[in-house]
Amino acid sequence: MQCTLREEICYEGIGLHSGKPVHMTIKPAAPDSGLVFRRVDLPEPVEIPARIEFVVDTRLNTTLGSQGAKIMTVEHLLASLAGMGVDNAVIELDNEEVPVGDGSALLFCQLIQRAGVVNQEVPRNYRQLQDPISVSDQGRYMVALPADEFRVSFTFVTDHPVVGTQYAEYAITSETFLSEIAAARTVGFAHQIEAMRRQGLALGGSLELAVVVGDSEYVNELRFPNEIVRHKILDIVGDLALLGPLKAHVIAIKSGHQLDAMLAQKLAAATAG
Protein backbone atom coordinates (compact mmCIF):
# COMPACT_ATOMS: atom_id res chain seq x y z
CA MET A 1 0.00 0.00 0.00
CA GLN A 2 1.04 3.61 -0.58
CA CYS A 3 2.29 5.60 2.41
CA THR A 4 2.70 9.20 3.48
CA LEU A 5 3.90 10.99 6.62
CA ARG A 6 1.82 11.00 9.77
CA GLU A 7 2.78 14.64 10.44
CA GLU A 8 4.86 17.29 8.75
CA ILE A 9 8.62 17.67 9.15
CA CYS A 10 10.46 20.99 9.53
CA TYR A 11 14.22 21.34 9.15
CA GLU A 12 16.68 24.19 8.57
CA GLY A 13 20.16 23.82 7.12
CA ILE A 14 22.43 24.84 4.26
CA GLY A 15 22.83 23.58 0.71
CA LEU A 16 25.83 21.36 0.00
CA HIS A 17 26.76 23.12 -3.23
CA SER A 18 25.18 26.57 -2.86
CA GLY A 19 26.12 27.05 0.81
CA LYS A 20 22.86 29.00 1.17
CA PRO A 21 20.56 28.68 4.20
CA VAL A 22 17.26 26.92 3.51
CA HIS A 23 14.13 26.06 5.49
CA MET A 24 12.41 22.83 4.48
CA THR A 25 8.95 21.58 5.39
CA ILE A 26 7.82 18.13 4.28
CA LYS A 27 4.05 17.67 4.39
CA PRO A 28 1.79 14.63 4.03
CA ALA A 29 0.10 14.29 0.64
CA ALA A 30 -2.83 12.43 -0.86
CA PRO A 31 -2.51 9.00 -2.50
CA ASP A 32 -1.19 8.96 -6.08
CA SER A 33 0.22 12.49 -5.77
CA GLY A 34 3.83 11.31 -5.57
CA LEU A 35 6.71 13.41 -4.28
CA VAL A 36 6.52 17.08 -5.23
CA PHE A 37 8.91 19.95 -4.49
CA ARG A 38 7.50 23.44 -3.98
CA ARG A 39 9.57 26.64 -4.06
CA VAL A 40 7.74 28.92 -1.63
CA ASP A 41 10.26 31.80 -1.76
CA LEU A 42 9.23 32.90 -5.26
CA PRO A 43 6.59 35.58 -6.00
CA GLU A 44 4.34 32.75 -7.19
CA PRO A 45 5.16 29.34 -5.66
CA VAL A 46 6.38 26.82 -8.27
CA GLU A 47 5.78 23.10 -7.95
CA ILE A 48 8.31 20.68 -9.44
CA PRO A 49 7.29 17.01 -9.41
CA ALA A 50 10.09 14.59 -8.48
CA ARG A 51 9.97 12.86 -11.84
CA ILE A 52 12.68 12.08 -14.36
CA GLU A 53 11.31 14.45 -17.01
CA PHE A 54 12.04 17.40 -14.71
CA VAL A 55 15.79 16.70 -14.41
CA VAL A 56 17.72 19.70 -15.78
CA ASP A 57 21.28 19.10 -14.49
CA THR A 58 23.35 16.12 -13.31
CA ARG A 59 26.67 17.88 -12.61
CA LEU A 60 27.76 16.39 -9.26
CA ASN A 61 24.13 16.35 -8.09
CA THR A 62 20.64 15.88 -9.48
CA THR A 63 18.80 19.13 -10.12
CA LEU A 64 15.11 19.44 -11.01
CA GLY A 65 13.59 22.43 -12.76
CA SER A 66 10.31 23.86 -14.03
CA GLN A 67 8.98 27.30 -15.02
CA GLY A 68 12.40 28.89 -14.55
CA ALA A 69 12.75 27.56 -10.98
CA LYS A 70 15.12 24.80 -9.86
CA ILE A 71 15.83 22.56 -6.88
CA MET A 72 19.42 21.29 -6.53
CA THR A 73 20.74 18.16 -4.81
CA VAL A 74 17.45 16.30 -4.46
CA GLU A 75 18.97 12.81 -4.41
CA HIS A 76 19.71 12.35 -0.69
CA LEU A 77 16.24 13.44 0.41
CA LEU A 78 14.53 11.40 -2.30
CA ALA A 79 16.59 8.37 -1.26
CA SER A 80 15.45 8.89 2.33
CA LEU A 81 11.78 9.13 1.41
CA ALA A 82 11.88 6.20 -1.00
CA GLY A 83 14.10 4.14 1.29
CA MET A 84 11.70 4.66 4.19
CA GLY A 85 8.65 3.84 2.07
CA VAL A 86 7.12 7.32 1.68
CA ASP A 87 5.26 7.52 -1.64
CA ASN A 88 3.42 10.83 -1.31
CA ALA A 89 4.70 14.11 0.15
CA VAL A 90 5.10 17.81 -0.62
CA ILE A 91 8.56 19.25 0.08
CA GLU A 92 8.47 23.03 0.56
CA LEU A 93 11.75 24.96 0.29
CA ASP A 94 12.56 28.65 0.58
CA ASN A 95 15.74 28.43 -1.50
CA GLU A 96 17.12 26.60 -4.53
CA GLU A 97 18.75 23.59 -2.84
CA VAL A 98 17.69 20.82 -0.46
CA PRO A 99 19.61 21.16 2.84
CA VAL A 100 22.59 18.84 3.11
CA GLY A 101 21.77 17.44 6.55
CA ASP A 102 24.81 15.43 7.64
CA GLY A 103 25.96 14.66 4.08
CA SER A 104 24.07 11.37 4.02
CA ALA A 105 20.43 10.31 4.27
CA LEU A 106 20.55 9.43 7.96
CA LEU A 107 19.28 12.69 9.43
CA PHE A 108 16.35 12.75 7.00
CA CYS A 109 15.51 9.12 7.84
CA GLN A 110 15.52 9.97 11.54
CA LEU A 111 13.16 12.89 10.91
CA ILE A 112 10.86 10.58 8.93
CA GLN A 113 10.90 8.04 11.77
CA ARG A 114 10.01 10.76 14.25
CA ALA A 115 7.12 12.03 12.10
CA GLY A 116 5.87 8.51 11.39
CA VAL A 117 4.79 6.80 8.18
CA VAL A 118 1.13 5.88 7.66
CA ASN A 119 -0.58 3.47 5.28
CA GLN A 120 -3.00 5.13 2.85
CA GLU A 121 -5.02 2.00 1.88
CA VAL A 122 -4.30 2.53 -1.84
CA PRO A 123 -2.19 -0.02 -3.72
CA ARG A 124 1.38 0.96 -4.59
CA ASN A 125 2.09 0.79 -8.31
CA TYR A 126 5.52 -0.64 -9.14
CA ARG A 127 7.43 -0.27 -12.38
CA GLN A 128 8.54 -3.71 -13.50
CA LEU A 129 10.72 -4.76 -16.42
CA GLN A 130 10.09 -7.38 -19.06
CA ASP A 131 13.60 -7.25 -20.53
CA PRO A 132 17.06 -6.02 -19.47
CA ILE A 133 17.89 -2.36 -20.09
CA SER A 134 21.41 -0.95 -20.19
CA VAL A 135 23.25 2.33 -20.65
CA SER A 136 26.95 3.15 -20.88
CA ASP A 137 29.17 6.17 -21.33
CA GLN A 138 32.97 6.43 -21.41
CA GLY A 139 33.69 3.29 -19.43
CA ARG A 140 30.74 3.63 -17.04
CA TYR A 141 27.95 1.07 -17.16
CA MET A 142 24.50 0.39 -15.75
CA VAL A 143 22.06 -2.43 -16.43
CA ALA A 144 18.60 -3.04 -14.99
CA LEU A 145 17.38 -6.63 -14.92
CA PRO A 146 13.85 -7.91 -14.31
CA ALA A 147 13.40 -8.81 -10.64
CA ASP A 148 10.72 -9.21 -8.00
CA GLU A 149 12.42 -6.68 -5.68
CA PHE A 150 14.53 -3.53 -5.89
CA ARG A 151 18.20 -4.50 -5.57
CA VAL A 152 21.33 -2.47 -6.33
CA SER A 153 24.84 -3.78 -6.98
CA PHE A 154 27.63 -1.23 -7.37
CA THR A 155 31.33 -1.49 -8.23
CA PHE A 156 33.29 1.69 -7.49
CA VAL A 157 36.53 1.66 -9.47
CA THR A 158 39.43 4.07 -9.07
CA ASP A 159 43.20 3.89 -9.25
CA HIS A 160 43.47 6.14 -6.20
CA PRO A 161 45.74 4.32 -3.71
CA VAL A 162 43.55 5.16 -0.71
CA VAL A 163 40.22 4.03 -2.14
CA GLY A 164 40.90 1.36 -4.75
CA THR A 165 37.94 -0.74 -5.85
CA GLN A 166 34.85 -1.15 -3.64
CA TYR A 167 31.81 -3.38 -4.17
CA ALA A 168 28.48 -3.67 -2.37
CA GLU A 169 25.05 -5.13 -3.06
CA TYR A 170 21.78 -4.66 -1.18
CA ALA A 171 18.12 -5.43 -1.57
CA ILE A 172 16.52 -2.06 -0.87
CA THR A 173 14.10 -2.48 2.01
CA SER A 174 13.34 0.10 4.68
CA GLU A 175 15.28 -1.92 7.25
CA THR A 176 18.35 -2.42 5.05
CA PHE A 177 18.34 1.15 3.80
CA LEU A 178 18.29 2.52 7.34
CA SER A 179 20.92 0.17 8.76
CA GLU A 180 23.36 -0.23 5.86
CA ILE A 181 23.02 2.70 3.43
CA ALA A 182 21.46 5.82 4.96
CA ALA A 183 24.50 6.88 7.03
CA ALA A 184 26.98 6.78 4.13
CA ARG A 185 28.14 10.30 3.30
CA THR A 186 29.01 11.89 -0.03
CA VAL A 187 32.65 11.73 -1.10
CA GLY A 188 35.14 14.44 -2.02
CA PHE A 189 38.74 14.13 -3.18
CA ALA A 190 40.90 16.78 -1.53
CA HIS A 191 42.71 17.70 -4.75
CA GLN A 192 39.38 18.45 -6.48
CA ILE A 193 37.72 20.60 -3.83
CA GLU A 194 39.19 23.97 -4.81
CA ALA A 195 38.31 23.42 -8.47
CA MET A 196 34.74 22.52 -7.46
CA ARG A 197 34.42 25.68 -5.40
CA ARG A 198 35.65 27.80 -8.30
CA GLN A 199 32.72 26.34 -10.24
CA GLY A 200 30.33 27.37 -7.45
CA LEU A 201 30.00 23.83 -6.09
CA ALA A 202 30.62 22.30 -2.64
CA LEU A 203 30.36 25.75 -1.03
CA GLY A 204 28.48 24.25 1.93
CA GLY A 205 30.75 21.24 2.36
CA SER A 206 32.88 20.42 5.41
CA LEU A 207 34.76 17.52 6.99
CA GLU A 208 31.62 16.58 8.92
CA LEU A 209 29.48 16.31 5.79
CA ALA A 210 31.63 14.19 3.47
CA VAL A 211 34.22 11.46 3.19
CA VAL A 212 37.34 13.44 2.22
CA VAL A 213 40.07 11.49 0.47
CA GLY A 214 43.60 12.87 0.69
CA ASP A 215 46.66 11.84 -1.33
CA SER A 216 47.73 9.10 1.10
CA GLU A 217 44.87 8.63 3.57
CA TYR A 218 41.30 9.54 4.43
CA VAL A 219 41.27 13.04 5.94
CA ASN A 220 38.43 12.18 8.34
CA GLU A 221 37.03 9.10 10.04
CA LEU A 222 34.87 6.69 8.06
CA ARG A 223 31.46 5.44 9.17
CA PHE A 224 31.92 2.21 7.15
CA PRO A 225 35.07 0.73 5.61
CA ASN A 226 33.33 0.92 2.22
CA GLU A 227 31.37 4.11 2.88
CA ILE A 228 31.99 5.45 -0.63
CA VAL A 229 30.32 2.60 -2.50
CA ARG A 230 27.43 2.58 -0.01
CA HIS A 231 26.85 6.26 -0.76
CA LYS A 232 26.90 5.52 -4.48
CA ILE A 233 24.08 3.04 -3.89
CA LEU A 234 22.27 5.72 -1.85
CA ASP A 235 22.55 8.08 -4.85
CA ILE A 236 21.07 5.45 -7.17
CA VAL A 237 18.13 4.91 -4.80
CA GLY A 238 17.53 8.67 -4.80
CA ASP A 239 17.93 9.17 -8.54
CA LEU A 240 15.72 6.22 -9.44
CA ALA A 241 13.09 7.43 -6.96
CA LEU A 242 12.23 9.82 -9.80
CA LEU A 243 10.51 6.79 -11.39
CA GLY A 244 8.39 5.97 -8.36
CA PRO A 245 8.43 2.45 -6.84
CA LEU A 246 10.59 0.10 -8.89
CA LYS A 247 11.22 -3.64 -9.01
CA ALA A 248 14.52 -4.33 -10.78
CA HIS A 249 18.07 -5.44 -10.09
CA VAL A 250 20.28 -2.49 -10.99
CA ILE A 251 23.94 -3.28 -11.57
CA ALA A 252 26.28 -0.30 -11.83
CA ILE A 253 29.97 0.14 -12.54
CA LYS A 254 31.46 3.62 -12.00
CA SER A 255 28.12 5.33 -12.59
CA GLY A 256 27.09 8.76 -11.34
CA HIS A 257 24.10 11.08 -11.56
CA GLN A 258 24.33 11.54 -15.33
CA LEU A 259 24.25 7.82 -16.05
CA ASP A 260 21.58 7.29 -13.38
CA ALA A 261 19.38 9.78 -15.27
CA MET A 262 20.07 8.07 -18.59
CA LEU A 263 18.99 4.72 -17.14
CA ALA A 264 15.93 6.28 -15.51
CA GLN A 265 14.86 7.76 -18.85
CA LYS A 266 15.13 4.37 -20.56
CA LEU A 267 13.31 2.66 -17.70
CA ALA A 268 10.53 5.25 -17.87
CA ALA A 269 10.11 4.66 -21.60
CA ALA A 270 10.20 0.87 -21.24
CA THR A 271 7.62 0.76 -18.46
CA ALA A 272 5.29 3.54 -19.66
CA GLY A 273 1.61 2.62 -19.40
Side-chain angles (χ1 to χ4, degrees), residues 81-114:
L81 291 164
M84 299 296 286
V86 178
D87 301 282
N88 305 300
V90 175
I91 304 114
E92 295 186 346
L93 300 165
D94 66 358
N95 217 318
E96 65 183 5
E97 188 172 17
V98 173
V100 64
D102 69 344
S104 74
L106 182 61
L107 184 145
F108 298 136
C109 288
Q110 291 169 339
L111 292 173
I112 292 167
Q113 282 185 309
R114 195 176 307 158

Side-chain angles (χ1 to χ4, degrees), residues 16-223:
L16 173 62
H17 291 299
S18 67
K20 296 177 180 177
V22 56
H23 180 86
M24 177 175 72
T25 303
I26 309 175
K27 299 181 175 181
D32 295 323
S33 57
L35 303 174
V36 179
F37 289 91
R38 180 183 293 151
R39 284 281 302 274
V40 297
D41 57 312
L42 303 174
E44 292 290 335
V46 174
E47 290 194 348
I48 308 175
R51 298 204 303 263
I52 185 61
E53 59 264 38
F54 291 92
V55 172
V56 296
D57 194 355
T58 53
R59 184 182 53 148
L60 296 180
N61 76 97
T62 297
T63 299
L64 305 179
S66 179
Q67 303 176 56
K70 67 178 182 179
I71 301 287
M72 297 170 58
T73 321
V74 300
E75 61 271 14
H76 299 169
L77 178 61
L78 291 181
S80 305
L81 291 164
M84 299 296 286
V86 178
D87 301 282
N88 305 300
V90 175
I91 304 114
E92 295 186 346
L93 300 165
D94 66 358
N95 217 318
E96 65 183 5
E97 188 172 17
V98 173
V100 64
D102 69 344
S104 74
L106 182 61
L107 184 145
F108 298 136
C109 288
Q110 291 169 339
L111 292 173
I112 292 167
Q113 282 185 309
R114 195 176 307 158
V117 177
V118 294
N119 190 308
Q120 295 184 288
E121 301 298 335
V122 176
R124 179 178 285 153
N125 296 312
Y126 290 91
R127 290 183 185 267
Q128 292 188 272
L129 297 178
Q130 300 300 316
D131 301 292
I133 291 176
S134 64
V135 293
S136 62
D137 179 60
Q138 299 181 355
R140 299 172 297 151
Y141 306 91
M142 295 185 80
V143 60
L145 304 174
D148 58 5
E149 63 180 356
F150 183 27
R151 177 177 292 269
V152 181
S153 307
F154 199 108
T155 304
F156 183 84
V157 181
T158 175
D159 57 5
H160 195 289
V162 176
V163 180
T165 297
Q166 298 184 9
Y167 173 83
E169 177 179 335
Y170 297 102
I172 308 302
T173 66
S174 296
E175 294 78 13
T176 299
F177 184 82
L178 185 60
S179 64
E180 304 295 335
I181 300 169
R185 295 162 297 172
T186 191
V187 61
F189 289 85
H191 69 276
Q192 298 175 344
I193 291 175
E194 283 307 313
M196 291 169 61
R197 287 180 170 167
R198 285 195 296 270
Q199 297 176 59
L201 299 169
L203 299 179
S206 71
L207 290 179
E208 290 74 36
L209 304 178
V211 175
V212 181
V213 184
D215 292 338
S216 59
E217 63 183 358
Y218 289 103
V219 176
N220 50 357
E221 186 175 348
L222 296 176
R223 294 179 175 177

